[in-house]
Amino acid sequence: MSELRHRVAKDTESTLQQQPSEDKTSDSELKAEKDGVSDSESKVDSRIPEVPVSADDTPEVLNKALSGLSSRWKNWWVRGLFTLAMITFFFFIIYLGPMVLMMIVLCVQIKCFHEIIMIGYSVYHSYDLPWFRTLSWYFLLCVNYFFYGETVTDYFFTLVQREEPLRILSKYHRFISFALYLTGFCMFVLSLVKKHYRLQFYMFGWTHVTLLIVVTQSHLIIHNLFEGMIWFIVPISCVICNDIMAYMFGFFFGRTPLIKLSPKKTWEGFIGGFFATIVFGIVLSYFMSGYRYFVCPVEFNNDSNSFQVDCQPPELFQLQEYTLPSVLESVTGWTTVHLYPFQIHSVALSSFASIMGPFGGFFASGFKRAFKIKDFANTIPGHGGIMDRFDCQYLMATFVNVYIASFIRGPNPSKVIQQLLALRPDQQLHIFNSLKAHLVEKGLLPALEGAAA
């Protein structure tokens, strides 16, 4: 009996000793759940080296001027002032023309690539991987050479055929691009170190995914720009408007969280930004559709030996009369309205910028949370890095390019003629006879004229 009492007392003592540790465990689990991270995720994240936190980059003048405000309102004013500065700069580069815009896109692309690659380098800098940064920038050079070469050949065929060096580079462009990439691939294989195999392949994949996200999308932005500046300005402006208006509605009216990846995003901001962007897109499209400078594609003029933006605006940018549905007619009292067809397309662009565009930001938020960083860099006070401002733009660029190819672009007669003129005389004659016979068969040319030929 005494032995039984002794055993019960011992078990009770051991239970009391274990209780504090169990309480600590439950507290840690509760904290992890509160932060939205499971215990297993926290263990995995603990193995990831932390990226150094960027210092406050707000100018000292602004810090002094806003010192009496709370951090919430101080951030509001800093973001607002630098947003106005960026919008002013955006208007200035639009004024400078499409070629300057193209160079700005290239600069933005390089800066975004730099910010993402530097996160990888900061995370794994202690491993001293050989040639990592050198190969990353080399692959960026190779991919840009390939994409920009394709763009120049496609849009400025006349210029390429006129200059002998450009004609040779154009003819063998893809082979040269592949040879350059193959050189980098061999350099990577030669740089492999036995103790870092897995890590080096991680970073090889990191570089290529970054190239896919950043360089490919910026290439599509340039394609959109050459179709006419309106296809560049309206989508980018819609994303900017949605970002601003969602922030404003969320700041003043936000109560309901939208997504865990980005805790500051709210349903009120999301919905308010959507309607504001739709209205903004329609108004901006109406204004821009009336100017050839914005709607005409960028072309090379052989006579003036320069790039020009001038054309007869297509039907897409000519005012049309539309009959309103009976529901809208009863509300507005109007039977018909005059709109540019592009305004109808702008509703699709605005809707994508408002509904799907933010998912680019959510993706970037998830990426930053994975590496425990607030921003990609501290380039722009109150906004973070360049990539923080362009995370939604790249997704938008892909949509616009696909939209143009699917619903807007048709056969381009000028490009067909340019390609025909590059053929040998016997090939041109064969195409001429084939086309003539086809037109005679369709009844568009007199049959006698076809027989005489």
Side-chain angles (χ1 to χ4, degrees):
M1 192 71 175
S2 60
E3 184 180 350
L4 180 59
R5 283 198 300 267
H6 178 72
R7 186 178 298 174
V8 170
K10 189 175 182 181
D11 290 343
T12 304
E13 184 181 354
S14 62
T15 302
L16 291 172
Q17 289 175 352
Q18 290 174 4
Q19 189 66 38
S21 63
E22 289 176 359
D23 290 342
K24 289 178 182 178
T25 303
S26 61
D27 289 343
S28 63
E29 288 175 355
L30 182 62
K31 186 178 179 181
E33 289 176 5
K34 192 173 181 180
D35 294 338
V37 182
S38 67
D39 188 51
S40 59
E41 288 175 332
S42 62
K43 288 179 181 178
V44 173
D45 287 347
S46 65
R47 293 198 298 266
I48 300 176
E50 292 191 11
V51 181
V53 179
S54 302
D56 182 18
D57 55 338
T58 306
E60 191 61 31
V61 177
L62 272 180
N63 277 329
K64 289 182 179 178
L66 304 174
S67 59
L69 299 176
S70 65
S71 60
R72 184 169 182 259
W73 279 101
K74 177 183 175 182
N75 182 62
W76 191 89
W77 277 103
V78 171
R79 283 177 66 94
L81 290 172
F82 279 92
T83 297
L84 289 175
M86 287 188 289
I87 291 174
T88 304
F89 178 70
F90 183 56
F91 283 136
F92 177 68
I93 60 175
I94 289 172
Y95 170 77
L96 295 178
M99 303 312 293
V100 175
L101 278 172
M102 185 181 74
M103 297 307 298
I104 293 295
V105 171
L106 177 61
C107 293
V108 168
Q109 174 219 111
I110 292 172
K111 180 58 179 164
C112 289
F113 181 83
H114 171 259
E115 289 176 0
I116 298 176
I117 288 297
M118 284 308 295
I119 291 175
Y121 182 72
S122 298
V123 170
Y124 298 110
H125 71 282
S126 60
Y127 293 93
D128 193 24
L129 299 180
W131 299 1
F132 167 57
R133 284 192 293 184
T134 303
L135 283 174
S136 296
W137 288 102
Y138 177 80
F139 282 125
L140 176 67
L141 177 66
C142 293
V143 175
N144 270 311
Y145 174 80
F146 171 74
F147 279 129
Y148 275 84
E150 293 283 312
T151 301
V152 169
T153 303
D154 188 29
Y155 284 92
F156 308 118
F157 186 80
T158 305
L159 174 63
V160 170
Q161 291 300 314
R162 196 181 65 179
E163 303 292 336
E164 183 65 23
L166 290 178
R167 188 161 66 248
I168 295 173
L169 288 174
S170 173
K171 184 176 180 180
Y172 302 106
H173 171 69
R174 295 193 176 183
F175 181 82
I176 295 172
S177 301
F178 178 71
L180 289 172
Y181 179 83
L182 200 61
T183 302
F185 180 80
C186 293
M187 289 169 62
F188 168 75
V189 173
L190 293 174
S191 72
L192 291 173
V193 179
K194 186 175 181 180
K195 60 180 179 178
H196 295 320
Y197 284 159
R198 180 178 297 180
L199 194 59
Q200 285 181 284
F201 277 101
Y202 282 160
M203 301 315 296
F204 184 78
W206 182 294
T207 300
H208 281 67
V209 171
T210 305
L211 291 172
L212 176 65
I213 293 174
V214 175
V215 182
T216 305
Q217 311 304 318
S218 63
H219 170 68
L220 297 180
I221 290 177
I222 300 235
H223 268 237
N224 300 340
L225 172 62
F226 284 148
E227 292 292 332
M229 283 204 289
I230 196 169
W231 292 105
F232 172 84
I233 297 171
V234 169
I236 284 183
S237 299
C238 284
V239 172
I240 293 172
C241 174
N242 181 256
D243 191 40
I244 293 173
M245 298 311 296
Y247 177 77
M248 296 291 287
F249 276 95
F251 186 87
F252 290 107
F253 309 109
R255 296 292 182 274
T256 314
L258 177 63
I259 187 171
K260 288 183 179 180
L261 277 174
S262 192
K264 293 183 180 180
K265 297 289 192 299
T266 63
W267 275 105
E268 290 81 3
F270 184 78
I271 296 171
F274 170 78
F275 286 107
T277 305
I278 295 293
V279 174
F280 172 80
I282 293 173
V283 173
L284 180 64
S285 299
Y286 181 84
F287 169 76
M288 296 186 66
S289 296
Y291 295 90
R292 294 186 180 186
Y293 180 73
F294 295 124
V295 304
C296 292
V298 182
E299 295 179 343
F300 182 78
N301 191 319
N302 279 318
D303 298 330
S304 62
N305 200 29
S306 62
F307 296 100
Q308 67 174 19
V309 182
D310 189 26
C311 66
Q312 181 63 35
E315 290 186 4
L316 188 65
F317 303 106
Q318 295 178 9
L319 278 174
Q320 308 286 339
E321 187 177 15
Y322 294 93
T323 303
L324 287 177
S326 56
V327 177
L328 292 178
E329 184 180 344
S330 62
V331 174
T332 61
W334 301 337
T335 307
T336 61
V337 292
H338 288 82
L339 296 172
Y340 292 101
F342 181 78
Q343 288 180 272
I344 300 173
H345 293 290
S346 74
V347 175
L349 300 179
S350 302
S351 299
F352 185 89
S354 304
I355 298 173
M356 300 305 299
F359 279 85
F362 300 152
F363 177 85
S365 296
F367 180 89
K368 289 183 284 188
R369 285 171 70 89
F371 291 97
K372 304 175 184 177
I373 57 175
K374 181 183 177 184
D375 298 310
F376 283 95
N378 59 352
T379 310
I380 311 169
H383 292 270
I386 299 296
M387 191 64 197
D388 290 287
R389 293 299 90 215
F390 281 83
D391 47 13
C392 302
Q393 297 288 2
Y394 285 130
L395 194 61
M396 187 71 188
T398 305
F399 172 74
V400 174
N401 192 268
V402 172
Y403 190 87
I404 292 173
S406 302
F407 304 109
I408 305 298
R409 185 189 295 133
N412 191 330
S414 62
K415 287 187 178 181
V416 174
I417 292 174
Q418 289 174 359
Q419 292 174 346
L420 287 175
L421 294 177
L423 299 175
R424 299 192 310 269
D426 60 315
Q427 294 174 323
Q428 294 176 357
L429 189 60
H430 174 72
I431 292 174
F432 170 76
N433 289 328
S434 299
L435 180 61
K436 188 175 182 181
H438 175 74
L439 294 175
V440 169
E441 183 181 347
K442 291 287 186 181
L444 298 175
L445 287 179
L448 290 177
E449 184 180 346

